[in-house]
Amino acid sequence: MAEGHPTSIRDWLEIGADGVVTVYTGKVEVGQNIRTWLAQAVADELGVALDAVRLVMADTGRTPFDPGTFGSRSTPGMAPLLRRAAAAAREVLLDVAAERWEANRDDLQVQGGRVVHPETGQALRFGELAQGQALAAVVPDDMPTLPRASWQLSGTSAMKVGAVALVTGTHRYASDVKRPGMRYGKMLRPAGFGATLQALDVRGAEALPGVLVVQEGEANLSGLSGAGAAPPGAAGLASVVGVVAADEGTTTRAVAALRAQWEVPPQPAAGELFSYLKTHPADEDTERRFAGGPQHVAGSVEEGLAAADYTLRQTYTAAYIAHAPLETRVAVAEWGAQGELTVWTGTQRPFGVRRQLAERFGLREEQVRVIVPDTGSGYGGKHYGDAAVEAALLARAAGAPVRVAWTRDEEFTWAYFRPAGVIEIRSGASADGALLAWEHHTYNAGPAGIRTPYEVPHQHVENHVTRTPLRQ
């Protein structure tokens, strides 16, 4: 198997006595339909029907480590891993059947969830063969899989796994998780980005029936009450405040009843954003971490422009863009009697959120379990466990499971954004169209792909890391 991945077949799949194949993957289903495609890949290798395959996805207590579901990597990355595991399982089952029958292994076939001996008519179901330690075998790194021409399911149209539940509304998402004794939580949000809490009167909130006000002081929590570790560019808060109640309506009223005084730093106006990005460089540490500074310099841009017959200068801008997932951030957190933490949440990085929670609450990673039910989209906007940290913080104080669900307002204000950026280009060309000069500066737009693929004698290509006013 690939470096860093488990090597045992049973880390990736199990075959039950009923012949159902249970497959384990750390990937997340966020609407891209990988549950169906990965099931097709496994079913092909084992020669079973699609409905004989069940996927257990994105559960840090049950599935192998996975860096996350992003970059359209699930199909090209995970499908080959699962194919090799399924192919290795197929070979083990053939070996077991050959030994049991004292038959020539090359005479055996897999058909419909069974190993069959065509000459004798003998057949054994996978569930009978897989008992005991049979699938503890290692998946060879060079495990061959079926050639594309032999695929029966992959690449063909198939009903989406769970389609009936989806269209009838019975499919359960992260938002649908409920736990015994569960209460509801909501955080107090600051009055502006980077604001610090100066004073707080909680009497109005505490006067509401069953309301618990939770306060945690002196924490740098990324501009989100309780959000924990955050991407660079996040603003800080001096205190974390939230409420817990028996229902969401009461939590909304309780937060509205809190009387908070904030110190809000100057906020750049929308019309000032791009000049702000150009005039507010990041600190040296952030610049080092995000590849700031000169990227490529050759010759003299000024000389190239002077020699050019044609010159062009242009500035391009890109605004912040919200990811706007259909399902807002949501989490249910529950603490165990031994201090262990279980969180159900919608995230694209369950193992990353496990680490975030462990660091935030001083736990070992094995004390934290993150379970990701199918999630209503992410678009790259659910890499961090904002709601998970908030729910865990409130649940610890309340001594009961707590659910935190962001409102659409919170999603559009306090979630991280696709970065805004400024791109400035000066260029010069000769009369025959050859590029002589190329100057390319990006501000907050990142260094990816900014080098020109053309041979230009005079170049200055540079990425500038800036101090962004919003999380990104």
Side-chain angles (χ1 to χ4, degrees), residues 60-62 338-342 351 354-355 357-359 362-370:
T60 64
R62 300 182 67 188
Q338 305 303 316
E340 68 276 15
L341 173 62
T342 302
F351 289 89
R354 181 181 69 172
R355 182 173 61 251
L357 288 164
E359 292 175 353
L363 302 172
R364 301 186 308 277
E365 286 195 33
E366 57 266 28
Q367 293 177 283
V368 181
R369 182 180 179 186
V370 175

Side-chain angles (χ1 to χ4, degrees), residues 30 37 40 53 60 82 111 129 139 149 165 220 228 237 242 255 267 273 275 280 321 341 379 400 402 427 460:
V30 286
W37 166 245
Q40 285 178 298
V53 179
T60 64
L82 294 181
Q111 295 176 6
L129 294 167
V139 182
N220 182 8
L237 281 180
V255 168
Q267 309 282 301
L273 173 60
S275 60
H280 288 74
I321 295 180
L341 173 62
Y379 311 124
V402 170
S427 59
H460 184 161

Side-chain angles (χ1 to χ4, degrees), residues 188 200-205 213 241-243 253-260:
L188 174 67
L200 180 68
D201 183 347
V202 302
R203 289 173 295 181
V213 178
V241 181
V243 301
R253 291 192 295 274
V255 168
L258 294 170
R259 295 292 174 259

